[in-house]
Structures are given as structure tokens and as C-alpha cells.
Amino acid sequence: IRLNTFNTDAEKESVISLQLMAGGPITVADQHNTIGDNLKFYQNEEMLALNTDRFVGKPLLRNVRDEKSQIWYGQMTNGDWVIGLFNREDSKQFRSVKFSDLGIEGKMKVRDLWKHADEGEADNLNVELEAHACKIVRLTKL
């Protein structure tokens, strides 16, 4: 991944997130004179924990024309769930998912892995995403 080729921080987070959600590794391909301040995206320990855990998520639907294909999810070895909501579009978009649609019953603790912030308890996610942005959360039992 060469993050210096992406225009916004949201795009940089999305490309890293999708690679990790799909079970792939992250490799810095930027050069010393092009990396700028992008190293922080490669070094997000909460996101890299997915790779360490050998996490592999999948899209809610495989039809790329359906916006539900932009919702990814999977379970870590300790039982926690990870959900990724992506916006591949060139405009602001709304994404929503009920945890029960993913086989997750009841309310869960929600943590945003890019913001490093706990967001309380929920049984669904409803977010508005800027163009090419994402939201990645880790769900743990109450």
C-alpha cells in the first residue's frame, strides 16, 4: 500500500481497513521521501490486532452493486466481533446494520478502532460516512 497516492485521511483509513478486514497483511510501500505523516495509519495497533489474530471478515453481500457489500464483519478468536462500514461512493452516504442480521444477539460494547474510543452499548450501527470513508468497530459482550 502506498498511502501517499490517496487524497484524504478517510481514504487512507479505508484502504488499510479493507485489507485488514479481508485478512490481508499491511506493508509500507511508501518511500522515505514520500511517506510524510502517513506512518500513523500503518501503525494503528487496534487495527493491526486483526492481522495478529488472523482475523478474516467477509462482506454482508457479495454483489458489489448492492450497498450491503460495503458492510464487512467477522469474529475474532476471543469471540469479539469486528464490523466495517465502508463508503466506496464519491459522495456522503448512510450505512446501517442491525447486529442481529450478522448473527449477533443483544447489545454489545462498541469501540471505534480508528478513533480509539469507546462508544457505549448498541445493538446496531447507523453512520453517515464521507466519500471513501469507513468506520471500523470492535464489539465485545457486556
Side-chain angles (χ1 to χ4, degrees), residues 64-81:
V64 296
R65 292 190 174 101
D66 191 309
E67 74 177 35
K68 289 183 179 178
S69 70
Q70 298 179 54
I71 299 170
W72 284 63
Y73 70 103
Q75 196 166 23
M76 299 187 73
T77 57
N78 70 354
D80 289 357
W81 289 86

Side-chain angles (χ1 to χ4, degrees), residues 94-113:
F94 182 75
R95 296 285 179 263
S96 179
V97 64
K98 293 178 187 175
F99 298 166
S100 60
D101 291 343
L102 308 176
I104 305 168
E105 296 302 326
K107 287 192 173 188
M108 304 286 280
K109 291 181 188 175
V110 179
R111 180 164 179 84
D112 187 304
L113 299 185

Side-chain angles (χ1 to χ4, degrees), residues 2 5-6 9 20 23 26 28 44 47-48 55 61 94 98 118 127-128 135 139:
R2 288 182 33 230
T5 64
F6 294 91
D9 287 356
L20 290 170
I26 297 298
V28 179
N44 180 331
M47 290 299 298
L48 292 175
F55 173 89
L61 289 178
F94 182 75
K98 293 178 187 175
D118 293 326
V127 298
E128 188 174 46
K135 181 173 183 77
L139 308 177

Side-chain angles (χ1 to χ4, degrees), residues 27-132:
T27 303
V28 179
D30 293 285
Q31 300 297 311
H32 67 89
N33 59 344
T34 62
I35 196 163
D37 68 346
N38 290 327
L39 197 56
K40 64 185 175 203
F41 297 101
Y42 295 110
Q43 294 178 324
N44 180 331
E45 291 185 18
E46 290 188 78
M47 290 299 298
L48 292 175
L50 302 180
N51 193 258
T52 302
D53 190 66
R54 297 187 178 177
F55 173 89
V56 178
K58 62 182 179 181
L60 187 56
L61 289 178
R62 295 200 183 272
N63 178 356
V64 296
R65 292 190 174 101
D66 191 309
E67 74 177 35
K68 289 183 179 178
S69 70
Q70 298 179 54
I71 299 170
W72 284 63
Y73 70 103
Q75 196 166 23
M76 299 187 73
T77 57
N78 70 354
D80 289 357
W81 289 86
V82 179
I83 299 175
L85 304 172
F86 294 89
N87 177 8
R88 293 190 304 252
E89 312 307 324
D90 292 330
S91 62
K92 193 180 289 187
Q93 298 287 315
F94 182 75
R95 296 285 179 263
S96 179
V97 64
K98 293 178 187 175
F99 298 166
S100 60
D101 291 343
L102 308 176
I104 305 168
E105 296 302 326
K107 287 192 173 188
M108 304 286 280
K109 291 181 188 175
V110 179
R111 180 164 179 84
D112 187 304
L113 299 185
W114 280 107
K115 293 180 181 174
H116 307 291
D118 293 326
E119 297 187 336
E121 302 170 6
D123 60 4
N124 66 81
L125 290 174
N126 299 294
V127 298
E128 188 174 46
L129 297 170
E130 295 295 328
H132 309 146

